[in-house]
Amino acid sequence: MVRRAHPERTCVGCRKRAPASELLRIVAVGDEDGHSLRPDPSRSLPGRGANLHPDPACFALAVRRRAFGRALRLTGVPDHGAVAEHVDAPTTTSGQPDRARVASKVGRPT
């Protein structure tokens, strides 16, 4: 019997390792305004990718730690609106996740 290894990746939010199939791949797309992050559920977009659990709590941690910029080797702060919509993490007008709503989904006090 041949045992095949499944690729593992690390979530940029919670820093836990998981099979790549359980994580959402995020890529940076450059435009005239800077970089914006795009979810890549099919794992087919070109370029360097960061991996994230599709969970609002992991997304909030990644934004707070500025992990997307480091993982994707970007300068500046990328726009993460499309990723927030994909993981259903609410954002305020400042672009930061609404901590009270994310905490209530996870069951933690604010």
Side-chain angles (χ1 to χ4, degrees), residues 14-26:
C14 66
R15 304 290 300 153
K16 292 183 182 174
R17 294 185 61 81
S21 60
E22 294 178 10
L23 299 172
L24 175 65
R25 183 172 184 259
I26 310 294

Side-chain angles (χ1 to χ4, degrees), residues 4-90:
R4 301 190 77 167
H6 297 285
E8 283 193 342
R9 303 289 184 262
T10 302
C11 173
V12 295
C14 66
R15 304 290 300 153
K16 292 183 182 174
R17 294 185 61 81
S21 60
E22 294 178 10
L23 299 172
L24 175 65
R25 183 172 184 259
I26 310 294
V27 295
V29 177
D31 56 15
E32 58 275 346
D33 294 332
H35 287 91
S36 60
L37 302 178
R38 298 282 182 252
D40 183 18
S42 64
R43 306 184 79 80
S44 61
L45 291 175
R48 185 173 187 85
N51 293 282
L52 177 76
H53 284 108
D55 177 25
C58 284
F59 174 73
L61 282 171
V63 170
R64 189 181 78 207
R65 294 176 51 242
R66 298 181 186 156
F68 292 117
R70 276 193 307 278
L72 298 171
R73 298 182 182 168
L74 302 174
T75 57
V77 178
D79 174 33
H80 54 268
V83 177
E85 289 177 15
H86 189 82
V87 297
D88 193 32

